[in-house]
Amino acid sequence: RRIQYRAAWEKVLELQEQDAVMEAEVVAVNRGGAICLVEGLRAFLPGSHLAGQLPTDDLVGQTLQLKFLEVNQENNKLVVSNRKAVVEQQMADLSRGDLVTGIVKALKPYGAFVEVGGMSGLLHISQISYDRIEDLEKVLQPGMQVKCMIIDHDKVNGRIALSTKTLEPNSGDMIRDPQMVFDMAEETAAKYHAHMEEERKQREQTARDLVLGLGDSLDGLEGDESS
């Protein structure tokens, strides 16, 4: 049994070294979170590190994806996170310009925090509408489901920057009728991407024309010098 125990810790230390995502079964829940079995060892999963779930009896028997938060063999202590594992996998699949659905979690003077699949996204007040917002609470409320476009992401820390103004068919629609903006989000996002692609092509063409024009000018200079 002692050999098994030592082998289990060796495996855990190896998984930690690899920063691996692992799967483990929940065997118990308590007020602070849940207990999972990792390589036969009991690991504590804090409630705050559950992605989109609460530590209720429904969790017992479920298999969750986990990453280590703390591994201390001396104190026989293992702490794991489900949110970290889920967020890292989701972040790997996300790109700028993606359309996502989330829930408004909190309002601040500078914008709203939106939870997107266990990740925290900031919808800055300047990114909500092309028109100036005087009263944010009249536009968004905690618990409201929203559609946003990802405009930036920090994959290391699992943070995303969001925008709804890129989804407005007309300037100020988020203030007048946010639900209409969300209903038309896919259509507006497609138009936005097409517009951005057209702008990119125009920039490339302008750059090409400049280079070609510069080449002609240099040819002219060389011709002047040789005459």
Side-chain angles (χ1 to χ4, degrees), residues 149 167 185-195:
M149 186 181 285
L167 302 174
E186 282 80 7
E187 185 184 332
T188 315
K191 287 178 183 173
Y192 175 83
H193 287 311
H195 175 67

Side-chain angles (χ1 to χ4, degrees), residues 4-5 7-9 11-13 15-16 20-27 35-45 64-68 71 78-81:
Q4 281 181 322
Y5 180 75
W9 269 104
K11 180 65 177 169
V12 160
L13 291 166
L15 288 167
Q16 184 200 24
V21 173
M22 64 225 156
E23 292 192 339
E25 187 183 339
V26 177
V27 293
I35 305 297
C36 304
L37 279 186
V38 178
E39 298 297 323
L41 301 172
R42 289 167 71 86
F44 177 58
L45 169 58
L64 300 177
Q65 291 186 316
L66 304 171
K67 288 196 85 167
F68 288 116
V71 175
L78 284 179
V79 185
V80 291
S81 171

Side-chain angles (χ1 to χ4, degrees), residues 142-157:
M144 185 176 177
Q145 189 177 65
V146 295
K147 286 185 181 177
C148 308
M149 186 181 285
I150 294 174
I151 54 170
D152 206 356
H153 49 59
D154 174 356
K155 294 198 173 188
V156 175
N157 296 307

Side-chain angles (χ1 to χ4, degrees), residues 106 108-114 121-131 133 136 140 148-149 151 160-165 174:
K108 301 289 179 187
Y110 49 84
F113 282 100
V114 179
L122 175 62
L123 177 56
H124 194 271
I125 196 160
S126 66
Q127 286 294 336
I128 294 172
S129 175
Y130 279 106
D131 283 5
I133 291 175
L136 183 56
L140 301 171
C148 308
M149 186 181 285
I151 54 170
I160 47 178
L162 303 166
S163 175
T164 51
K165 77 178 184 184
M174 269 301 294

Side-chain angles (χ1 to χ4, degrees), residues 203-215:
R203 280 197 304 272
E204 284 181 0
Q205 186 60 50
T206 303
R208 264 199 300 272
D209 291 346
L210 276 170
V211 170
L212 290 171
L214 188 60

Side-chain angles (χ1 to χ4, degrees), residues 84-104:
K84 193 177 176 189
V86 169
V87 165
E88 281 189 18
Q89 288 192 319
Q90 285 183 324
M91 286 299 280
D93 297 333
L94 290 179
S95 303
R96 287 181 184 86
D98 283 359
L99 190 63
V100 292
T101 300
I103 303 289
V104 176

